[in-house]
Amino acid sequence: MSIAIENFVKAIYKNNSHDAKNTKPGNIAKKLGISNAAATDMAKKLAVKKLLHYEKYQELQLTDKGRKMALDIVRKHRLWEAFLFKMFDMSLHDIHKEAELLEHQTSDLLANKISAYLGHPKFDPHGDPIPNADGEITTTDTSIALSNAEEGKQYIISRLMSDDKEFFEFCAHHKLKYGHELKVSKQFKKNKMTELSVENNTILLNQDFTTLIYVNEIN
């Protein structure tokens, strides 16, 4: 399959995994930086290949065949991120950018070798689950968006769901990293802002950030 096809099915899978589940062709076009017409044309072609279900004006849904392809690409991408982060201590943005290139050139054999070398990790450095060799995610995600966290409770950061360079730079600067603890001080619901403390520093975030940072409560 071409890189364009692999990126298209991966984009549908990832968009469907988010809370919004926005998998209409226009949303996929926006994610991939292509025109709406190009996205619709690709969706129709992949429907013929039995990789997805296409209906005009409806959400795109992957078939079992399409989902398997998407998970295979996601697995390779996240394994590369884990490898690059471990070996070279690269930034989260840089490992994502490099993994975008490497995922399409990686055989199943090499993916399995990388996984074994890393000790078969369950998560990548962003906190995203890594599918196993059978295309299965064996972990249970109980995390919630920081925007939905409760005041006065302690949480641990479980996922950073973005590929934006400035987002990662901001998070790194303020110690908002996968595995770090934080406390939610106040939720300003009307203004859609969250006040939190990390390592005795107070931070005020708007919803653009708090919907991308996922956390688990510390009991």
Side-chain angles (χ1 to χ4, degrees), residues 107-124:
S107 67
D108 292 340
L109 174 63
L110 180 56
N112 291 338
K113 292 287 187 181
I114 294 171
S115 181
Y117 177 79
L118 295 174
H120 302 293
K122 299 287 187 182
F123 300 94
D124 72 9

Side-chain angles (χ1 to χ4, degrees), residues 74-84 86 111-125 127-133 136-139 178:
V74 167
R75 167 179 163 78
K76 291 169 181 175
H77 179 101
R78 292 175 181 173
L79 282 172
W80 273 117
E81 288 192 332
F83 180 83
L84 294 171
K86 177 182 175 66
N112 291 338
K113 292 287 187 181
I114 294 171
S115 181
Y117 177 79
L118 295 174
H120 302 293
K122 299 287 187 182
F123 300 94
D124 72 9
D128 293 321
I130 300 176
N132 64 20
E136 301 168 336
I137 293 177
T138 59
T139 54
Y178 170 63

